[in-house]
Amino acid sequence: MNNKKAKWLAYTVLVGLIPILCRGIAWLVTKSGTIEFLASSDFVALGLVLHISIINEMEHISDEERDWKTIQNGVSIAFIAAYGVLFTFTLLGDKLVDISAMTKCTIALAALSFAISYSVFDRISKIPVYISGDET
């Protein structure tokens, strides 16, 4: 694994996983049934972190990749908007929203976001020079 992907994994993915990991620890140390093991809001946070990091990283790509940058930024903005809607649903509670279906939906969307983010950072790691002059 090259340096760019390692940084992405450490700084982006692990930071995005903090809410999920904290909930897991809380679930382990509390009495049964007090805290749900999985919550859709945690996966919304992960997805937001992944897509915001893509948008941030696109700022450092040369203009030779302009079309690809535009597509990636557009996809990330669409996902961020979708996560915003999903987060709003998490605030409505179980009387209006099927929590189980919502959790499954956000897990699937976060997995898709991870795959997209991985593919973006894989391609970025193969680009030799950034606008700022940093080398990969």
Side-chain angles (χ1 to χ4, degrees):
M1 185 181 301
N2 66 30
N3 191 29
K4 193 69 169 165
K5 282 192 220 174
K7 284 182 178 181
W8 167 76
L9 186 62
Y11 299 150
T12 302
V13 177
L14 290 180
V15 167
L17 287 172
I18 288 172
I20 297 168
L21 297 173
C22 289
R23 181 176 298 278
I25 292 168
W27 179 79
L28 283 172
V29 299
T30 57
K31 294 181 180 183
S32 179
T34 307
I35 295 177
E36 294 292 324
F37 180 64
L38 298 174
S40 55
S41 59
D42 299 343
F43 291 94
V44 167
L46 173 60
L48 287 171
V49 167
L50 292 171
H51 286 287
I52 290 169
S53 72
I54 290 172
I55 291 172
N56 180 59
E57 198 62 36
M58 289 297 115
E59 294 295 317
H60 304 288
I61 304 298
S62 71
D63 283 340
E64 295 170 2
E65 302 282 338
R66 185 177 315 152
D67 292 340
W68 182 70
K69 285 171 59 170
T70 301
I71 291 168
Q72 294 310 316
N73 282 333
V75 167
S76 288
I77 290 167
F79 270 81
I80 289 169
Y83 282 119
V85 170
L86 290 172
F87 184 71
T88 301
F89 289 153
T90 67
L91 299 175
L92 296 177
D94 61 352
K95 292 182 180 178
L96 298 173
V97 177
D98 181 350
I99 299 297
S100 176
M102 180 74 172
T103 302
K104 290 174 188 173
C105 179
T106 55
I107 289 171
L109 203 57
L112 179 60
S113 294
F114 178 84
I116 291 169
S117 186
Y118 180 83
S119 70
V120 167
F121 279 86
D122 183 57
R123 181 166 174 174
I124 288 171
S125 70
K126 295 174 184 170
I127 298 173
V129 179
Y130 289 84
I131 289 174
S132 64
D134 298 337
E135 294 189 20
T136 56

